[in-house]
Amino acid sequence: MSRLNKFILPLGGFALLAVLLAVGLKQAPEKGIIKSPLVGKLAPAYSLPDLMQPGAVVASDDLKGKWHVVNVWGSWCFACRDEHPMLLAIQQEGVVPIVGIDWNDEEAAGREWLAKLGNPYARVAVDREGRTAIHYGVTAAPESFLINPQGVIVKKVTGVITPKIWRDEMLPLIRGVAGGGQ
Amino acid sequence: MSRGVVFAATLSLFLAGVAWAVDTTPPIPDPALQERYVTLTHELRCVQCQNEAIADSPVEIAAQLRREVRESLIAGQSDDEIRETMVSRYSEFILFKPRWSAKTALLWLAPALMLLVGAFIALRVVGRRRQLLETDDSVVDEDGDG
Amino acid sequence: MIPEIGHFALILAMLLALVQAALGLIGPRSTQPRYVDAVPSAVAGQFVFTCIAMGCLAKSFIDYDFSVRYVAENANSALPLFFRIAAMWGAHEGSLLLWIFVLSLWTVAVVLRARTLPRSFTARVLGVLGLLSFGFLLFTLATSNPFLRLDPPAPDGRDLNPLLQDVALAVHPPMLYTGYVGLSVAFAFACAAMIEGRLDQTWARWTRPWTTLAWSFLTAGIALGSWWAYYELGWGGFWFWDPVENASFRPWLVATALIHSLAVTDKRGLFKSWTLLLAITGFSLSLLGTFLVRSGVLVSVHSFAADPARGIFILAFLVVVIGGALGLYAWRAPSLRSEAGFEMTSRESFLLFNNILLVIAAAVIFGGTMAPMVSDALGQGALSVGPQYFNPSFALPALPLLALLSVGMHAGWKRGNLSRVKREVLFTGVLALALAVAIWLGAYGGRKLLMPLGIALGLWIVLSSLVDPVDRIRRKLSLPLGVVGMAVAHLGLGMTTIGITVVQSATLEIDRAVAPGETVKVGEYDFRFEGTKAVEGPNYSAVQGTVVVGKGGKDIVVLRPQKRTYWVQQNPMTEAGISASWNRDLFVAMGEDVGRGAWSLRLQVRPLIQFIWWGALVMTLGGVLSGLDRRYRQPKKAARDAVDAVAAEPAA
């Protein structure tokens, strides 16, 4: 009997492996997308130059007490172009203000981009050296952070905010409805 | 879809062929710090081009992360503190060397454990075969070597 | 028209593969010999149509046919002819076609060399290979058809990934696939034996040359990949423990164990079920590698475009093939017992240690590669495992393995008699250690302790490998290819060990911004940067730097690294400037233009790095020599067969 058990082991081991691979397959579309450890934590503070009003400062304190979205973008970023209409739509809805952070960009190029495509942001900050972005664990653009009135990041969107993500994952959180996690 | 687009965009950016090796900053004057800098920048994964260390990645965020490491070292932080800061923002994914914890204990101990098991198996098998020698009168064909 | 012919040819090949599988597996059960007789015809037909498909795809590339989607994605009107052809296997669909082609080549080889094998056994082997071909062809046609058309045709192609526009693309994948797929022959031999319910020393003798040759190709394929990464990627490294690199290394380790285990089964009829398991595992790891590269479950620089839908298909294929084989194993293995004995210092014993250590090494790499996925699957969050884990974890089983090799290769079968060779073992060991310490102190500054250890182990292997051949020549004994091959292969391993050890501990590297006219000292060498100029290639524009390297006041060599921008894909690419020599490589890669003519440069002195790949080449040569030994082509003596047949009688 013990002899038989020994030879069944490889098959049993492989069955486990197959299950693991199947689970891995299901999770595959999200490989490479880092799950942010900042979700559920206080959003890092920042105080950055204002892109649209030279000399002014955009600080994280400015929007404390209100739901808002922090959106990291750049004029060099192709996907941000895809996302832009959605951001304008969110601005139209008027539910939450969006703070833009122009990341690793030339200020002139950033302003030109907004002039050409429209400005969906309540405030736009410039992060030329990428320090704030790193504090937020940004890996690429566009990335967005949904922050609640207490200043806690409740959701991070890696990549473009699609209508589906906005409707099904972000709005419910803002409205206090159950559902819509990360 | 959006995640896929970002991932594909950055992936294609990388796969399309990028240069390596762009640390333009001069070495840290203190050789001990410089050595720690080299070690740490090889331990941290570039979060954009995810299959390179920040020491080797040419993208801007890698250079900025190297800058973070450099400034932290000069400010007197320990290696563990620097790692912890990075992990707090980017998760354990950013470390090429898994930190020792209950979660990773098995991973780190596995080779040694396997060696122990292997040694045990070897002893058992050899022991049994030595016993069988007494009843084994087969002749070994010495053609070639085997 | 041509792509449609290719498409149709693939369909026919698939059907013939199915016929081959059916006839091969069911045919032997029939009393009529004509079913079994027809199998070679099915093999031939499948091969012909596979060739036609390859030819059609090649023609589509050569003729710039951008109405074929795969061609449009991987070629361009400015892509030189050489790369247009090699681009055939530059991405997922075409690489599958290459896999299928190589599989049919090996199948044809089995048919041609099968004269000494029993016909029903051969039929079953071909049947299993037919099943594998069928599975791959089905997968290709269903999810990864290279002949799909674009309507309207693309005006021009997206160009081959610039990283792949290199001569190594022509050799690395074919060599690697020949190795991966070659392991399927051992796998098929194992399945045939399990189906028939008998496995004896004769079976082992048949299987050995196939396995050794597949191993040789795999060795060459992996070495080529490493060498290519070194000179092409511009980072100066040669191995990153990337998941896909690991996926090729694991089957290599298991195949190495298999070669040695087969030797024991051949010689003494021992380790039968273990050899069987290794034969199954080796090819299973090849298949697993295919899965990992194409399904997106692991983050890797090497992945083909990740597509989980394809992943499901491959996973199902894996379950059927590997699950089936392991099921057969669970059924048949219990009856494979042997009552032979051996001494602790015998060759069998050392080969047992060899196998255990190689399998541990493979398991360590497997665990490290899979750990992130396991962590994710169990909801434990992200985990990342890189060189800082793999290097020490792999060294743990590898170092004892290397040490035991030098002793074990002198051990005799059954009784060992190590005392007979005690003098040679001690002499070679002491000499190796002395030389290693001398080299360590004299040439490399006597710093890292790993260096003399690694050099000593490598040298010991080299010297030990020479003992037996030299002894035979002196005593005027025969020198069969098998003995020569073994010595050569082990010698190559020693070389590679020395190369890796020295490179890892004695590499000098400096990254910095360098102005024109400035000289940077790296070790004993002076790298003088003399500025850049613009050059044009057939499908790229480049900035070419000139770096003059001197030593002791004399200029030795001029290196011309380039920063290329390929016209189509536009992203910059580095071509390193390398001066290769037996004792060191000088390496320069350009980073960025930092203004006023200055550039950031990576400058490296890499001592003995060439030993790594030349050592691998020597290993490959050793494997080929060994596999060609004549005794594998001779039928075994009848008396032994009779004994084997009785001993291998299944218990049931």
Side-chain angles (χ1 to χ4, degrees):
Chain A
M1 192 52 204
S2 75
R3 275 261 98 141
L4 187 62
N5 283 347
K6 191 165 83 164
F7 297 104
I8 276 274
L9 274 179
L11 185 60
F14 175 67
L16 270 174
L17 177 64
V19 169
L20 173 68
L21 293 176
V23 174
L25 257 188
K26 255 187 47 165
Q27 297 177 332
E30 289 168 16
K31 296 286 169 186
I33 297 191
I34 299 175
K35 268 212 194 75
S36 175
L38 291 171
V39 172
K41 302 225 169 60
L42 276 175
Y46 56 86
S47 175
L48 295 168
D50 192 320
L51 179 69
M52 308 306 285
Q53 301 170 45
V57 161
V58 179
S60 46
D61 281 346
D62 294 349
L63 283 125
K64 229 182 190 144
K66 287 193 287 189
W67 280 96
H68 64 281
V69 172
V70 172
N71 173 263
V72 177
W73 62 281
S75 63
W76 43 266
C77 159
F78 294 125
C80 302
R81 208 167 287 241
D82 291 338
E83 185 186 50
H84 211 75
M86 187 63 213
L87 294 178
L88 288 167
I90 295 176
Q91 184 196 38
Q92 295 285 6
E93 270 185 63
V95 179
V96 286
I98 313 176
V99 174
I101 297 189
D102 188 9
W103 181 44
N104 287 346
D105 206 359
E106 299 283 327
E107 297 187 33
R111 277 192 282 264
E112 199 185 304
W113 202 76
L114 288 178
K116 224 171 38 176
L117 298 171
N119 185 353
Y121 303 114
R123 305 292 302 281
V124 194
V126 163
D127 186 4
R128 278 209 102 224
E129 296 196 327
R131 290 178 195 274
T132 301
I134 288 180
H135 289 155
Y136 274 77
V138 170
T139 65
E143 285 185 5
S144 306
F145 301 84
L146 179 60
I147 299 173
N148 73 6
Q150 288 74 37
V152 170
I153 299 177
V154 296
K155 181 168 179 61
K156 176 180 175 183
V157 179
T158 310
V160 169
I161 300 178
T162 62
K164 190 171 183 304
I165 293 177
W166 171 245
R167 217 182 33 239
D168 298 340
E169 297 176 32
M170 294 172 82
L171 269 181
L173 284 170
I174 299 171
R175 301 206 160 120
V177 177
Q182 195 187 18
Chain B
M1 176 57 201
S2 64
R3 298 185 171 106
V5 169
V6 170
F7 184 52
T10 45
L11 193 66
S12 58
L13 200 78
F14 176 67
L15 286 180
V18 282
W20 298 66
V22 271
D23 205 348
T24 56
T25 56
I28 305 176
D30 180 346
L33 285 181
Q34 175 63 14
E35 202 177 311
R36 285 169 62 197
Y37 173 78
V38 169
T39 307
L40 278 171
T41 53
H42 278 94
E43 268 184 34
L44 293 169
R45 186 192 289 267
C46 171
V47 293
Q48 202 169 78
C49 299
Q50 295 178 345
N51 293 287
E52 310 170 54
I54 58 174
D56 300 317
S57 174
V59 294
E60 193 156 3
I61 194 172
Q64 291 170 345
L65 286 168
R66 288 198 299 266
R67 181 193 62 208
E68 290 275 314
V69 171
R70 189 194 174 84
E71 289 174 357
S72 303
L73 279 169
I74 292 176
Q77 292 202 344
S78 74
D79 287 0
D80 281 338
E81 285 170 339
I82 296 175
R83 290 185 191 112
E84 176 56 39
T85 310
M86 290 293 177
V87 170
S88 72
R89 296 163 185 162
Y90 289 102
S91 85
E92 301 275 349
F93 186 66
I94 199 175
L95 296 176
F96 276 127
K97 183 174 178 183
R99 293 192 295 184
W100 176 264
S101 73
K103 224 173 56 163
T104 60
L106 184 60
L107 184 65
W108 280 106
L109 291 175
L113 287 174
M114 283 196 251
L115 270 186
L116 282 173
V117 171
F120 176 69
I121 293 176
L123 284 174
R124 247 188 48 162
V125 171
V126 172
R128 200 176 129 244
R129 292 292 162 184
R130 289 185 73 206
Q131 274 188 331
L132 282 169
L133 256 185
E134 295 165 26
T135 50
D136 174 15
D137 49 7
S138 61
V139 174
V140 183
D141 176 9
E142 290 293 347
D143 77 19
D145 69 298
Chain C
M1 194 54 211
I2 301 274
E4 277 65 44
I5 293 177
H7 191 170
F8 194 51
L10 276 185
I11 297 176
L12 288 175
M14 183 184 78
L15 293 171
L16 282 168
L18 191 58
V19 168
Q20 176 188 330
L23 288 177
L25 292 171
I26 306 174
R29 292 161 159 272
S30 159
T31 45
Q32 308 228 25
R34 61 192 169 134
Y35 299 117
V36 166
D37 286 345
V39 176
S41 310
V43 170
Q46 196 213 121
F47 178 64
V48 164
F49 285 113
T50 306
C51 287
I52 291 176
M54 284 283 275
C56 290
L57 190 59
K59 185 115 174 63
S60 301
F61 269 93
I62 295 172
D63 288 350
Y64 305 103
D65 187 351
F66 297 124
S67 70
V68 178
R69 191 170 78 185
Y70 185 68
V71 176
E73 286 172 352
N74 291 287
N76 183 267
S77 52
L79 190 62
L81 177 67
F82 181 80
F83 295 130
R84 283 209 310 281
I85 300 177
M88 259 205 301
W89 51 77
H92 170 69
E93 293 87 342
S95 75
L96 276 181
L97 189 53
L98 179 66
W99 182 289
I100 291 166
F101 176 67
V102 172
L103 182 53
S104 74
L105 268 179
W106 277 103
T107 312
V108 167
V110 170
V111 168
L112 291 176
R113 309 289 305 142
R115 278 161 299 159
T116 52
L117 302 170
R119 298 178 64 258
S120 60
F121 181 80
T122 310
R124 291 194 165 103
V125 168
L126 295 171
V128 172
L129 291 174
L131 266 185
L132 294 173
S133 298
F134 173 71
F136 271 93
L137 281 157
L138 183 64
F139 175 56
T140 305
L141 284 166
T143 71
S144 321
N145 192 338
F147 294 111
L148 291 178
R149 293 276 209 172
L150 277 177
D151 188 20
D156 205 339
R158 231 179 357 140
D159 205 12
L160 181 63
N161 181 340
L163 281 175
L164 298 178
Q165 291 191 30
D166 182 88
V167 69
L169 175 65
V171 265
H172 164 61
M175 203 63 90
L176 194 64
Y177 283 21
T178 306
Y180 277 152
V181 179
L183 290 178
S184 70
V185 177
F187 177 82
F189 271 62
C191 289
M194 288 189 290
I195 292 170
E196 292 195 346
R198 42 168 259 139
L199 191 150
D200 53 20
Q201 286 167 268
T202 319
W203 173 87
R205 179 154 285 212
W206 296 330
T207 314
R208 283 179 80 181
W210 295 101
T211 311
T212 309
L213 282 172
W215 176 90
S216 304
F217 280 108
L218 195 52
T219 309
I222 295 173
L224 278 168
S226 161
W227 176 62
W228 187 12
Y230 166 68
Y231 78 77
E232 177 71 4
L233 293 180
W235 128 76
F238 59 90
W239 190 261
F240 193 62
W241 296 108
D242 176 85
V244 173
E245 290 175 337
N246 296 348
S248 71
F249 196 40
R250 289 188 297 260
W252 185 86
L253 290 165
V254 171
T256 309
L258 178 59
I259 295 176
H260 292 87
S261 185
L262 276 169
V264 179
T265 307
D266 177 8
K267 207 70 177 173
R268 310 246 13 248
L270 282 161
F271 299 172
K272 285 182 190 172
S273 57
W274 175 247
T275 300
L276 208 54
L277 187 58
L278 283 178
I280 297 172
T281 307
F283 182 61
S284 302
L285 287 170
S286 293
L287 284 181
L288 182 65
T290 306
F291 170 80
L292 291 174
V293 183
R294 294 157 206 274
S295 59
V297 296
L298 289 172
V299 171
S300 162
V301 64
H302 225 126
S303 308
F304 292 100
D307 185 347
R310 287 171 176 159
I312 295 174
F313 193 113
I314 306 181
L315 185 57
F317 186 56
L318 278 177
V319 168
V320 167
V321 172
I322 303 177
L326 289 176
L328 279 174
Y329 175 79
W331 174 39
R332 291 302 205 185
S335 58
L336 297 171
R337 310 190 54 171
S338 161
E339 301 303 309
F342 56 81
E343 191 45 78
M344 186 162 84
T345 52
S346 67
R347 184 166 290 211
E348 294 92 316
S349 189
F350 278 98
L351 289 176
L352 172 67
F353 304 150
N354 154 302
N355 263 232
I356 289 176
L357 289 167
L358 282 168
V359 166
I360 290 177
V364 165
I365 298 175
F366 184 75
T369 311
M370 293 294 167
M373 200 176 14
V374 172
S375 184
D376 247 345
L378 294 178
Q380 289 294 307
L383 185 64
S384 163
V385 181
Q388 287 83 355
Y389 171 80
F390 285 110
N391 281 337
S393 303
F394 176 72
L396 201 56
L399 290 174
L401 177 68
L402 295 169
L404 287 171
L405 174 55
S406 302
V407 181
M409 71 169 91
H410 307 295
W413 292 101
K414 196 170 179 187
R415 302 234 173 239
N417 296 325
L418 259 191
S419 50
R420 194 168 49 84
V421 287
K422 207 165 53 177
R423 239 186 32 191
E424 284 87 342
V425 170
L426 281 174
F427 175 68
T428 51
V430 168
L431 180 59
L433 187 59
L435 282 174
V437 172
I439 295 172
W440 174 53
L441 292 172
Y444 299 116
R447 260 166 299 130
K448 298 223 174 116
L449 213 60
L450 176 69
M451 217 200 299
L453 176 64
I455 300 177
L457 285 175
L459 272 178
W460 197 13
I461 295 173
V462 169
L463 293 170
S464 300
S465 306
L466 296 170
V467 166
D468 192 27
V470 164
D471 182 58
R472 278 172 182 260
I473 293 175
R474 271 218 330 241
R475 288 183 7 205
K476 297 207 176 22
L477 290 174
S478 72
L479 204 57
L481 269 184
V483 173
V484 174
M486 179 176 93
V488 169
H490 288 151
L491 201 150
L493 178 63
M495 282 176 69
T496 299
T497 303
I498 295 171
I500 293 178
T501 306
V502 173
V503 157
Q504 288 294 88
S505 15
T507 286
L508 297 167
E509 175 181 298
I510 292 187
D511 282 353
R512 47 171 276 216
V514 187
E518 199 182 332
T519 300
V520 180
K521 199 165 170 59
V522 185
E524 308 175 302
Y525 295 90
D526 299 307
F527 288 72
R528 192 172 72 244
F529 179 49
E530 297 199 335
T532 60
K533 68 171 195 222
V535 297
E536 293 280 304
N539 57 340
Y540 63 84
S541 310
V543 176
Q544 180 170 290
T546 304
V547 176
V548 179
V549 187
K551 181 170 153 180
K554 247 177 32 154
D555 286 348
I556 319 178
V557 70
V558 179
L559 299 174
R560 298 185 206 282
Q562 287 181 350
K563 193 78 180 287
R564 291 184 187 173
T565 305
Y566 281 77
W567 300 331
V568 180
Q569 294 205 2
Q570 284 294 308
N571 283 295
M573 222 198 78
T574 290
E575 280 286 315
I578 302 179
S579 161
S581 177
W582 74 269
N583 64 330
R584 92 292 177 276
D585 267 26
L586 301 168
F587 180 101
V588 179
M590 294 168 71
E592 270 184 349
D593 186 345
V594 291
R596 284 180 289 157
W599 276 75
S600 65
L601 298 177
R602 171 164 284 191
L603 308 166
Q604 288 182 337
V605 177
R606 305 282 255 159
L608 291 193
I609 198 171
Q610 294 294 328
F611 269 50
I612 299 176
W613 303 301
W614 286 99
L617 190 65
V618 171
M619 275 197 269
T620 305
L621 177 65
V624 170
L625 287 174
S626 197
L628 294 176
D629 191 312
R630 243 178 338 125
R631 63 203 160 116
Y632 296 128
R633 297 176 237 155
Q634 287 160 358
K636 249 187 153 198
K637 301 186 182 59
R640 190 168 300 124
D641 274 3
V643 171
D644 289 344
V646 169
E649 217 49 51

